[in-house]
Amino acid sequence: MIAPSLLSADFGHLASNIEMLNESRCDWFHLDVMDGVFVPNISFGFPVMEAIKQFAKKPLDVHLMIVQPEKFIDQVKSLGAHVMNVHQEACPHLHRVLQQIKDAGMKAGVTLNPSTPIGSIEDILELADIVMLMSVNPGFGGQQFIAHTIDKTCRLRALIDQKKLSTLIEIDGGVSRLNAAQLYDAGADILVAGSAVFRAPSPIDEIDLIKNATLA
Ligand code: DX5
Ligand code: ZN
């Protein structure tokens, strides 16, 4: 699956960008919320996501790069989000937060920064519908893919399979048609792509190219 990140969209023409994605083969819309505290940047919040929701015809994958994400479970639910992704590093009570997200009727995603080991979520893996591995340090689009994510994806896949779980693996940061096949082969299920899609001459064609790369 492909989830384009709207962080790299043209915010002056958000509606037409979303309508273009509605016509593409992308699967989810990835929404990056940054608070300037958990990450050194601020992106957008609920008013903008409400506007996105008006046009979006695909499930919303909300990635909260914020401290205390548990405060916003009800608001993310009201948005109609399919997935609420919280960072392991932002949640001292991760077990409780994931359960609360599921109780609210959303898919619970837990995200790991590049420096956070897989072992840190081993004990709550049963509760996670999705584990998202950051393949850049969160905060900005357009950064270079951290190659060590390939090996990390293999190790996470092995752990999920060993536990006989159906947890999906999502990869976020620096994803393009150049590394999509490697990530897919390593066990990734969902690829987030921001700049690779929106900086391409034809974002719709680029989504096809990324998808087709995983089938080669
Ligand atoms: C980074 C965000 C990503 C970002 C991906 O902090 O979480 O979703 O938008 O953008 P690219 O694909 O350009 O790395
Ligand atoms: Zn993201």
Side-chain angles (χ1 to χ4, degrees):
M1 291 194 282
I2 302 288
S5 165
L6 292 177
L7 190 63
S8 296
D10 176 355
F11 289 166
H13 301 92
L14 207 40
S16 63
N17 277 203
I18 294 165
E19 275 160 3
M20 170 185 68
L21 293 179
N22 283 338
E23 301 303 316
S24 80
R25 284 170 66 216
C26 82
D27 298 276
W28 293 348
F29 289 169
H30 185 83
L31 306 184
D32 287 304
V33 180
M34 303 179 187
D35 66 354
V37 178
F38 181 69
V39 288
N41 197 9
I42 296 176
S43 56
F44 49 74
F46 286 100
V48 173
M49 291 198 288
E50 287 290 346
I52 291 171
K53 175 193 169 181
Q54 302 307 316
F55 298 96
K57 291 190 184 145
K58 308 210 183 197
L60 302 182
D61 173 29
V62 177
H63 177 196
L64 296 173
M65 287 163 273
I66 65 173
V67 297
Q68 301 184 317
E70 66 279 3
K71 284 185 178 172
F72 300 98
I73 293 172
D74 289 345
Q75 258 179 287
V76 176
K77 172 67 185 167
S78 300
L79 192 65
H82 180 57
V83 182
M84 176 166 165
N85 251 308
V86 298
H87 270 258
Q88 183 273 353
E89 304 85 4
C91 297
H93 305 292
L94 187 57
H95 183 280
R96 176 190 291 146
V97 176
L98 294 179
Q99 191 61 61
Q100 288 172 334
I101 294 171
K102 289 163 83 87
D103 289 347
M106 294 179 285
K107 298 287 181 201
V110 57
T111 304
L112 303 185
N113 279 336
S115 61
T116 304
I118 284 165
S120 66
I121 52 156
E122 191 170 347
D123 287 323
I124 52 85
L125 202 51
E126 284 80 0
L127 270 179
D129 295 300
I130 295 158
V131 175
M132 187 161 83
L133 300 180
M134 290 307 305
S135 37
V136 298
N137 286 292
F140 305 91
Q143 301 182 82
Q144 196 182 351
F145 180 80
I146 297 173
H148 140 266
T149 313
I150 305 278
D151 172 63
K152 197 172 181 179
T153 305
C154 289
R155 286 183 283 117
L156 176 58
R157 179 86 270 155
L159 187 63
I160 290 169
D161 291 350
Q162 178 202 325
K163 288 178 178 276
K164 298 188 167 43
L165 297 172
S166 53
T167 316
L168 299 176
I169 301 178
E170 184 169 9
I171 309 293
D172 186 8
V175 173
S176 73
R177 62 175 126 131
L178 300 178
N179 51 28
Q182 257 184 308
L183 287 165
Y184 180 76
D185 291 346
D189 301 289
I190 306 139
L191 302 178
V192 176
S195 52
V197 167
F198 284 100
R199 286 189 200 157
S202 164
I204 288 193
D205 290 347
E206 196 63 29
I207 288 167
D208 279 344
L209 287 168
I210 296 171
K211 279 210 158 201
N212 292 344
T214 66
L215 302 173

